[in-house]
Amino acid sequence: MAISTLCVFCGSSPGHDPVHGTAARALGGALTDAGIDLVYGGGHVGLMGMVADAVLAGGGRVTGVIPQALHDLEVAHHGLTTLHVVGSMHERKAMMADLSDGFIAMPGGIGTFEELFEMWTWGQLGYHRKPVGLLNVGGFYDRLVGFIDDVVDAGFLRAAHRSMLMVEEDPAALVARMQAYEPPVIEKWIGREQR
């Protein structure tokens, strides 16, 4: 699959463990090495700022999308290639999705989780056929991945839909998998009925 832009969801905090910042910078380097531009939430703080700065330092292009309210709190990154200021979080996610050929979630909080699951759900429902990846830095997402597998075992998530979420610990390996991604053939379904 041709990938020219990837959207990265991640924390507006750096977290307590410096391994997360190291991974953010490594992901930025992996993107520029692959010739892939970054789309992200437009902030200069936390892991968001680190991955953006790493892409910029490597000569890559970075597009940020930030709601006006967060822009007004002075958390916007003003050194980006392009910065879009939108009216709401809903507009932000829709624009980020439109501008991106795939999605990666790094460690983060509930906003990162919500963005990851929404993009994965949109793929499950056939609204897009773009890859969705989880960068599992230092085992951060181990328990979540285990829970997701439990959801499959419990019959609430199909194995084909589970396979849509790629999980890797190494940024370059995840980027490479996303570049090689072939969307699975998944039957259309509504509720419990196969169509």
Side-chain angles (χ1 to χ4, degrees), residues 46-115:
L47 298 183
M48 295 174 70
M50 292 179 193
V51 70
D53 287 342
V55 172
L56 291 167
R61 297 171 52 84
V62 179
T63 298
V65 185
I66 192 166
Q68 185 72 56
L70 293 179
H71 182 274
D72 293 348
L73 288 173
E74 299 183 352
V75 298
H77 194 309
H78 294 289
L80 306 179
T81 311
T82 307
L83 179 65
H84 298 282
V85 181
V86 296
S88 69
M89 293 293 282
H90 295 293
E91 291 175 72
R92 179 196 217 180
K93 285 187 296 183
M95 180 176 283
M96 290 167 75
D98 288 343
L99 293 172
S100 303
D101 297 323
F103 311 94
I104 292 175
M106 286 194 63
I110 57 174
T112 300
F113 308 154
E114 187 267 342
E115 290 164 331

Side-chain angles (χ1 to χ4, degrees), residues 6 8 24-33 35-40 48-63 80-81:
L6 281 174
V8 174
R25 289 184 286 272
L27 177 57
L31 292 174
T32 56
D33 288 348
I36 296 172
D37 294 334
L38 171 67
V39 175
Y40 85 119
M48 295 174 70
M50 292 179 193
V51 70
D53 287 342
V55 172
L56 291 167
R61 297 171 52 84
V62 179
T63 298
L80 306 179
T81 311

Side-chain angles (χ1 to χ4, degrees), residues 7-8 11 14 23 61 69 74 93 117 152 158 178 185:
C7 179
V8 174
R61 297 171 52 84
E74 299 183 352
K93 285 187 296 183
F117 280 105
V152 175
R158 297 180 183 191
M178 298 189 88
V185 176

Side-chain angles (χ1 to χ4, degrees), residues 85-190:
V85 181
V86 296
S88 69
M89 293 293 282
H90 295 293
E91 291 175 72
R92 179 196 217 180
K93 285 187 296 183
M95 180 176 283
M96 290 167 75
D98 288 343
L99 293 172
S100 303
D101 297 323
F103 311 94
I104 292 175
M106 286 194 63
I110 57 174
T112 300
F113 308 154
E114 187 267 342
E115 290 164 331
L116 166 68
F117 280 105
E118 183 158 11
M119 291 305 114
W120 187 14
T121 300
W122 289 3
Q124 175 189 357
L125 296 175
Y127 293 137
H128 70 72
R129 292 173 58 78
K130 303 173 183 180
V132 179
L134 195 59
L135 187 56
N136 188 21
V137 179
F140 183 82
Y141 283 116
D142 283 353
R143 284 178 288 179
L144 176 62
V145 172
F147 174 69
I148 290 168
D149 291 337
D150 290 343
V151 174
V152 175
D153 293 341
F156 290 102
L157 177 66
R158 297 180 183 191
H161 296 145
R162 165 64 184 87
S163 71
M164 295 169 69
L165 180 67
M166 293 176 280
V167 182
E168 291 286 347
E169 296 180 10
D170 178 70
L174 182 55
V175 170
R177 278 189 68 188
M178 298 189 88
Q179 289 178 300
Y181 178 75
E182 292 293 336
V185 176
I186 296 176
E187 298 177 20
K188 296 288 184 184
W189 63 279
I190 300 173

